[in-house]
Amino acid sequence: MNNIKFNKTSFLKSIINTCELEDFSGIEIAVLGYSNSGKSSLLNVLTNNKKLARVSKLPGRTRTINVFDVMSSFRIIDFPGYGYSTINLLTKKLITKSLFFYLRHRLCLRGVMILSDIRYSLKLLDLKILKILKKRSVSILFVLTKTDKVSKQKKIIQISQIRKKISILNMDITVLVFSKFSKLDILVIRHHLSVWYNLFWNR
């Protein structure tokens, strides 16, 4: 299997609407999650580049759709966090509409990572996105982040509860955990993304 060298990932561009994305012959992976769920931290650890994505303690700081090149045939699309953003309502609606259109129609979309703070339960917009993806043939990782902020017992309970709620959808969804302090967590995520890439190109 070809293990992807994520440390070569580079920023390509920022866009406001997914209609600005040109046709792409490779594969794209979308990174989604509520504001302050840890998307920027995960991307920085994934790529071993602390400056790749801006990390903020305040929710709603990522206001554009950021496109990253992992390699010429592999991109990561980082969407603004939804839910608690400080941006105005009209802009928020436009971003959500653009996201839903992308998830439904983007042909090169092959995988989605949905990040969720492990301290909270599964939220309505996450469920809505999963239901949209149920109609698509894409791989899905549901990543529970900030696991270093809860006890081992709480971590086990939360993982079990999330898996139980997701199982109702009758979808093939892999639930993983992530802490920026755990090398094993990021190795597992890198492995899954590499598998996605290899499965697509070996068809």
Side-chain angles (χ1 to χ4, degrees):
M1 185 182 78
N2 180 26
N3 288 314
I4 305 301
K5 295 180 179 179
F6 289 95
N7 62 325
K8 295 187 179 296
T9 301
S10 60
F11 172 78
L12 181 61
K13 61 182 176 179
S14 291
I15 58 175
I16 301 299
N17 195 306
T18 53
C19 66
E20 299 175 55
L21 287 169
E22 70 281 4
D23 290 339
F24 184 53
S25 60
I27 75 168
E28 288 179 352
I29 290 175
V31 180
L32 316 177
Y34 275 81
S35 296
N36 213 28
S37 61
K39 292 190 295 90
S40 295
S41 292
L42 186 144
L43 286 172
N44 289 344
V45 176
L46 175 70
T47 59
N48 197 28
N49 183 350
K50 295 179 180 180
K51 297 182 179 180
L52 185 73
R54 180 183 176 186
V55 178
S56 174
K57 293 182 179 179
L58 298 175
R61 288 299 183 183
T62 303
R63 301 186 180 187
T64 56
I65 302 164
N66 295 319
V67 182
F68 299 98
D69 266 339
V70 181
M71 50 199 295
S72 61
S73 54
F74 187 8
R75 287 181 180 178
I76 292 176
I77 313 296
D78 177 28
F79 281 84
Y82 38 79
Y84 302 108
S85 178
T86 55
I87 58 179
N88 64 64
L89 183 60
L90 177 60
T91 303
K92 195 181 299 186
K93 286 183 177 179
L94 289 173
I95 290 173
T96 302
K97 183 178 180 180
S98 177
L99 168 61
F100 288 170
F101 183 85
Y102 174 87
L103 295 177
R104 289 187 175 107
H105 303 290
R106 186 68 169 168
L107 296 178
C108 60
L109 177 65
R110 299 295 173 179
V112 176
M113 281 199 297
I114 301 176
L115 275 59
S116 178
D117 190 323
I118 196 170
R119 294 172 293 180
Y120 308 112
S121 60
L122 193 63
K123 296 179 179 178
L124 291 177
L125 196 48
D126 287 330
L127 283 171
K128 184 171 183 178
I129 287 171
L130 288 174
K131 288 176 181 178
I132 290 173
L133 293 174
K134 189 172 184 178
K135 299 178 181 179
R136 295 286 311 270
S137 179
V138 298
S139 301
I140 304 171
L141 288 181
F142 198 90
V143 184
L144 298 174
T145 62
K146 305 188 180 185
T147 56
D148 51 283
K149 297 184 180 294
V150 297
S151 65
K152 289 183 178 180
Q153 183 178 8
K154 177 68 172 178
K155 177 179 173 180
I156 293 170
I157 291 172
Q158 285 293 88
I159 292 171
S160 176
Q161 289 179 344
I162 293 294
R163 282 178 172 159
K164 185 176 181 180
K165 289 181 179 180
I166 287 177
S167 66
I168 297 173
L169 299 173
N170 194 28
M171 296 171 64
D172 185 13
I173 301 171
T174 301
V175 179
L176 299 178
V177 295
F178 170 71
S179 164
K180 62 183 179 181
F181 303 108
S182 172
K183 291 183 179 180
L184 178 60
D185 290 352
I186 202 64
L187 285 174
V188 171
I189 293 172
R190 284 175 183 159
H191 172 75
H192 277 276
L193 299 188
S194 293
V195 168
W196 289 357
Y197 178 83
N198 283 278
L199 283 175
F200 173 74
W201 286 111
N202 290 330
R203 286 179 180 175

PDB file of all heavy atoms in Angstrom, residues 168-182:
ATOM      1  N   ILE A 168     -27.923   3.570  14.257  1.00  0.00           N
ATOM      2  CA  ILE A 168     -29.320   3.673  13.841  1.00  0.00           C
ATOM      3  C   ILE A 168     -29.423   4.020  12.357  1.00  0.00           C
ATOM      4  O   ILE A 168     -30.388   3.646  11.679  1.00  0.00           O
ATOM      5  CB  ILE A 168     -30.054   4.735  14.697  1.00  0.00           C
ATOM      6  CG1 ILE A 168     -30.059   4.304  16.170  1.00  0.00           C
ATOM      7  CG2 ILE A 168     -31.478   4.958  14.212  1.00  0.00           C
ATOM      8  CD1 ILE A 168     -30.613   5.350  17.119  1.00  0.00           C
ATOM      9  N   LEU A 169     -28.413   4.720  11.849  1.00  0.00           N
ATOM     10  CA  LEU A 169     -28.423   5.139  10.448  1.00  0.00           C
ATOM     11  C   LEU A 169     -28.125   3.990   9.489  1.00  0.00           C
ATOM     12  O   LEU A 169     -28.325   4.108   8.285  1.00  0.00           O
ATOM     13  CB  LEU A 169     -27.401   6.256  10.228  1.00  0.00           C
ATOM     14  CG  LEU A 169     -27.631   7.547  11.024  1.00  0.00           C
ATOM     15  CD1 LEU A 169     -26.450   8.493  10.845  1.00  0.00           C
ATOM     16  CD2 LEU A 169     -28.927   8.212  10.577  1.00  0.00           C
ATOM     17  N   ASN A 170     -27.624   2.884  10.032  1.00  0.00           N
ATOM     18  CA  ASN A 170     -27.283   1.710   9.221  1.00  0.00           C
ATOM     19  C   ASN A 170     -26.304   2.074   8.105  1.00  0.00           C
ATOM     20  O   ASN A 170     -26.520   1.769   6.931  1.00  0.00           O
ATOM     21  CB  ASN A 170     -28.553   1.091   8.630  1.00  0.00           C
ATOM     22  CG  ASN A 170     -28.301  -0.300   8.064  1.00  0.00           C
ATOM     23  OD1 ASN A 170     -27.402  -1.021   8.527  1.00  0.00           O
ATOM     24  ND2 ASN A 170     -29.073  -0.681   7.060  1.00  0.00           N
ATOM     25  N   MET A 171     -25.219   2.751   8.528  1.00  0.00           N
ATOM     26  CA  MET A 171     -24.181   3.164   7.589  1.00  0.00           C
ATOM     27  C   MET A 171     -22.829   2.613   8.035  1.00  0.00           C
ATOM     28  O   MET A 171     -22.638   2.295   9.209  1.00  0.00           O
ATOM     29  CB  MET A 171     -24.096   4.705   7.527  1.00  0.00           C
ATOM     30  CG  MET A 171     -25.332   5.384   6.998  1.00  0.00           C
ATOM     31  SD  MET A 171     -25.256   7.194   7.208  1.00  0.00           S
ATOM     32  CE  MET A 171     -23.853   7.623   6.143  1.00  0.00           C
ATOM     33  N   ASP A 172     -21.918   2.531   7.078  1.00  0.00           N
ATOM     34  CA  ASP A 172     -20.562   2.066   7.385  1.00  0.00           C
ATOM     35  C   ASP A 172     -19.711   3.267   7.799  1.00  0.00           C
ATOM     36  O   ASP A 172     -19.102   3.935   6.953  1.00  0.00           O
ATOM     37  CB  ASP A 172     -19.950   1.369   6.168  1.00  0.00           C
ATOM     38  CG  ASP A 172     -18.578   0.769   6.476  1.00  0.00           C
ATOM     39  OD1 ASP A 172     -18.217   0.684   7.668  1.00  0.00           O
ATOM     40  OD2 ASP A 172     -17.864   0.410   5.520  1.00  0.00           O
ATOM     41  N   ILE A 173     -19.697   3.553   9.083  1.00  0.00           N
ATOM     42  CA  ILE A 173     -18.981   4.712   9.617  1.00  0.00           C
ATOM     43  C   ILE A 173     -17.965   4.239  10.649  1.00  0.00           C
ATOM     44  O   ILE A 173     -18.302   3.489  11.570  1.00  0.00           O
ATOM     45  CB  ILE A 173     -19.947   5.712  10.281  1.00  0.00           C
ATOM     46  CG1 ILE A 173     -20.995   6.185   9.268  1.00  0.00           C
ATOM     47  CG2 ILE A 173     -19.182   6.901  10.862  1.00  0.00           C
ATOM     48  CD1 ILE A 173     -22.113   6.997   9.888  1.00  0.00           C
ATOM     49  N   THR A 174     -16.724   4.665  10.476  1.00  0.00           N
ATOM     50  CA  THR A 174     -15.676   4.316  11.434  1.00  0.00           C
ATOM     51  C   THR A 174     -15.540   5.436  12.463  1.00  0.00           C
ATOM     52  O   THR A 174     -15.379   6.603  12.101  1.00  0.00           O
ATOM     53  CB  THR A 174     -14.323   4.128  10.719  1.00  0.00           C
ATOM     54  OG1 THR A 174     -14.459   3.088   9.748  1.00  0.00           O
ATOM     55  CG2 THR A 174     -13.226   3.760  11.715  1.00  0.00           C
ATOM     56  N   VAL A 175     -15.642   5.075  13.737  1.00  0.00           N
ATOM     57  CA  VAL A 175     -15.495   6.045  14.823  1.00  0.00           C
ATOM     58  C   VAL A 175     -14.077   5.949  15.379  1.00  0.00           C
ATOM     59  O   VAL A 175     -13.637   4.883  15.808  1.00  0.00           O
ATOM     60  CB  VAL A 175     -16.526   5.805  15.943  1.00  0.00           C
ATOM     61  CG1 VAL A 175     -16.321   6.815  17.082  1.00  0.00           C
ATOM     62  CG2 VAL A 175     -17.950   5.905  15.396  1.00  0.00           C
ATOM     63  N   LEU A 176     -13.371   7.079  15.352  1.00  0.00           N
ATOM     64  CA  LEU A 176     -12.008   7.141  15.882  1.00  0.00           C
ATOM     65  C   LEU A 176     -11.911   8.232  16.933  1.00  0.00           C
ATOM     66  O   LEU A 176     -12.822   9.046  17.083  1.00  0.00           O
ATOM     67  CB  LEU A 176     -11.005   7.427  14.756  1.00  0.00           C
ATOM     68  CG  LEU A 176     -10.902   6.405  13.619  1.00  0.00           C
ATOM     69  CD1 LEU A 176      -9.904   6.889  12.581  1.00  0.00           C
ATOM     70  CD2 LEU A 176     -10.483   5.039  14.156  1.00  0.00           C
ATOM     71  N   VAL A 177     -10.796   8.254  17.642  1.00  0.00           N
ATOM     72  CA  VAL A 177     -10.549   9.303  18.635  1.00  0.00           C
ATOM     73  C   VAL A 177      -9.285  10.059  18.253  1.00  0.00           C
ATOM     74  O   VAL A 177      -8.420   9.545  17.541  1.00  0.00           O
ATOM     75  CB  VAL A 177     -10.405   8.719  20.058  1.00  0.00           C
ATOM     76  CG1 VAL A 177     -11.718   8.095  20.519  1.00  0.00           C
ATOM     77  CG2 VAL A 177      -9.278   7.694  20.112  1.00  0.00           C
ATOM     78  N   PHE A 178      -9.200  11.297  18.746  1.00  0.00           N
ATOM     79  CA  PHE A 178      -8.017  12.099  18.445  1.00  0.00           C
ATOM     80  C   PHE A 178      -7.683  13.046  19.588  1.00  0.00           C
ATOM     81  O   PHE A 178      -8.541  13.778  20.080  1.00  0.00           O
ATOM     82  CB  PHE A 178      -8.222  12.925  17.174  1.00  0.00           C
ATOM     83  CG  PHE A 178      -7.138  13.942  16.941  1.00  0.00           C
ATOM     84  CD1 PHE A 178      -5.860  13.546  16.572  1.00  0.00           C
ATOM     85  CD2 PHE A 178      -7.380  15.298  17.132  1.00  0.00           C
ATOM     86  CE1 PHE A 178      -4.853  14.476  16.379  1.00  0.00           C
ATOM     87  CE2 PHE A 178      -6.375  16.234  16.935  1.00  0.00           C
ATOM     88  CZ  PHE A 178      -5.110  15.819  16.563  1.00  0.00           C
ATOM     89  N   SER A 179      -6.436  13.004  19.985  1.00  0.00           N
ATOM     90  CA  SER A 179      -5.846  14.003  20.869  1.00  0.00           C
ATOM     91  C   SER A 179      -4.557  14.459  20.212  1.00  0.00           C
ATOM     92  O   SER A 179      -3.788  13.644  19.702  1.00  0.00           O
ATOM     93  CB  SER A 179      -5.549  13.419  22.256  1.00  0.00           C
ATOM     94  OG  SER A 179      -4.666  14.276  22.967  1.00  0.00           O
ATOM     95  N   LYS A 180      -4.315  15.753  20.215  1.00  0.00           N
ATOM     96  CA  LYS A 180      -3.098  16.270  19.583  1.00  0.00           C
ATOM     97  C   LYS A 180      -1.838  15.809  20.311  1.00  0.00           C
ATOM     98  O   LYS A 180      -0.728  15.976  19.807  1.00  0.00           O
ATOM     99  CB  LYS A 180      -3.132  17.796  19.524  1.00  0.00           C
ATOM    100  CG  LYS A 180      -3.180  18.482  20.879  1.00  0.00           C
ATOM    101  CD  LYS A 180      -3.277  19.994  20.699  1.00  0.00           C
ATOM    102  CE  LYS A 180      -3.349  20.699  22.034  1.00  0.00           C
ATOM    103  NZ  LYS A 180      -3.461  22.185  21.873  1.00  0.00           N
ATOM    104  N   PHE A 181      -2.017  15.194  21.484  1.00  0.00           N
ATOM    105  CA  PHE A 181      -0.880  14.694  22.257  1.00  0.00           C
ATOM    106  C   PHE A 181      -0.608  13.208  22.015  1.00  0.00           C
ATOM    107  O   PHE A 181       0.330  12.652  22.565  1.00  0.00           O
ATOM    108  CB  PHE A 181      -1.115  14.925  23.752  1.00  0.00           C
ATOM    109  CG  PHE A 181      -1.352  16.364  24.115  1.00  0.00           C
ATOM    110  CD1 PHE A 181      -2.603  16.795  24.490  1.00  0.00           C
ATOM    111  CD2 PHE A 181      -0.317  17.288  24.044  1.00  0.00           C
ATOM    112  CE1 PHE A 181      -2.829  18.134  24.820  1.00  0.00           C
ATOM    113  CE2 PHE A 181      -0.529  18.619  24.374  1.00  0.00           C
ATOM    114  CZ  PHE A 181      -1.793  19.046  24.750  1.00  0.00           C
ATOM    115  N   SER A 182      -1.457  12.563  21.199  1.00  0.00           N
ATOM    116  CA  SER A 182      -1.316  11.127  20.959  1.00  0.00           C
ATOM    117  C   SER A 182      -0.796  10.846  19.554  1.00  0.00           C
ATOM    118  O   SER A 182      -1.492  11.090  18.562  1.00  0.00           O
ATOM    119  CB  SER A 182      -2.661  10.421  21.163  1.00  0.00           C
ATOM    120  OG  SER A 182      -2.586   9.076  20.755  1.00  0.00           O
TER     121      SER A 182
END
